[in-house]
Amino acid sequence: MAKKVLKFGGTSVGSIDRILHASKIISQEHKKGNKIIAVVSAMAGKTNELIEFSKTISQNFNKRELDVLLSSGEQVTSALLAGALCKVGIKAKSWLNWQIPILTEGEYNNSRIVNMHVEKIDKFLNLNGVAVIPGYQGISSEGDITTIGRGGSDATAVAIAKIFNADTCEIYTDVDGVYSTDPNKIPVAKKIDKITYEEMLELSSLGAKVMQSSAVQTAMMYSIPLQVRSTFTNRPGTKIFNNENIDYRKVVTGVAYSKDDAKITLQGVDDKPGIAAEIFEPFSKNNINVDMVIQNVSSDGKTTDLTFTIKREDLQRTLEIIKSNNKIKSKEISYKNNVSKISIVGAGMVTTPGVTYKMFKALADEKINILAISTSEIKISVIIEEMNTIKAIKKLHTIFDLD
Ligand code: ADP
Ligand code: ASP
Ligand code: MG
């Protein structure tokens, strides 16, 4: 007998039929004698629809009210799933964030779970009940409803697995597991049987939305083994765990991409100590994350060019901040929002020379221009023109033997 957290994503609870199907998976696990906590997302598309509703009222919709609105999607699916389980004679009950409660800290729309009360639910599990908990939400110390960032039901599931000391945390989704790249975009993508937390964290931070990155981070921090698997097939999924279990023969494990980036170049900024700090300080004050930074060597010893990337949604705000920063004297500000970031990730890179060259050469062979580069021990990311995204992924996928 095991204590299991089973998380069902948006597509897996996207219709009544699918909710009934999820309830079958749960009842099979329950019949085996396992203690089950199910975590659900809103029906696929629901959260986006609710955001659109809010935007028709105001582009700047009140953040507190937005969280009240957004949390409703998961309320619907948790009640439907618990009801479906009750119908087949399983003792099941849903709890909303404030009923448990799930305590969060941080801003509205982007809070993080810090604690959860376990007594009521543990008691119910001990009475052979199945607990159903809505993902993506919590309650602040002021008693306000909060949400924990898009894709946050994964983070709820991992937090529950930790706090309830579960034996496993299974992420049921619409693909068979984690693939070498998005299988819905590149059909030759291959399923990965096992992957390290570090690799998964890089892949998800770099755009592989199959797992939310903060969920992977928590799982890594507390060594909570994860399994990503399909709601719709019985095939074994992908295990995410510690690296001592990993085969390093594969240099690159996966290729991720994101199209949410924008690139800004400041030409002719003064080449003197402290200038970069003056440019970037107001960004951090305004919660704008700068990703890659490239500073050219100054040709005249006086001025230089500075290029950096940010999230595309922050582009307008960032440009306004630059224009109103009277400490920046730049000849010209240019930007590009039709760029994408392509990344290769692999724990084996640490011990293999020449990976960077191989990546750059492959892109050059495809006549793809690299606009910015950043590297870490286990990843290399490049910014390229958005129209070259699929071509670049396919090429890298092939040359690193992932097809
Ligand atoms: P859920 O609603 O179940 O949380 P998501 O839509 O958040 O599901 O994540 C699953 C999707 O992630 C897949 O449908 C797939 O298109 C996408 N994806 C992106 N990169 C990968 C990858 N490397 N492996 C698997 N799926 C990926
Ligand atoms: N429903 C939320 C979202 O769409 C949370 C989730 O699905 O994980 O972002
Ligand atoms: Mg998701």
Side-chain angles (χ1 to χ4, degrees), residues 7 9-10 41 150-154 171-173 209-212:
K7 179 254 170 180
S41 290
R150 296 304 305 272
S153 299
D154 292 339
I171 307 291
Y172 282 87
T173 184
K209 72 165 182 160
V210 61
M211 273 301 303
Q212 193 221 28

Side-chain angles (χ1 to χ4, degrees), residues 303-321:
T303 60
T304 183
D305 300 343
L306 191 74
T307 297
F308 56 93
T309 64
I310 47 165
K311 288 268 154 257
R312 195 176 291 175
E313 62 188 26
D314 291 333
L315 179 62
Q316 285 315 322
R317 231 159 34 101
T318 309
L319 291 172
E320 280 157 28
I321 291 171

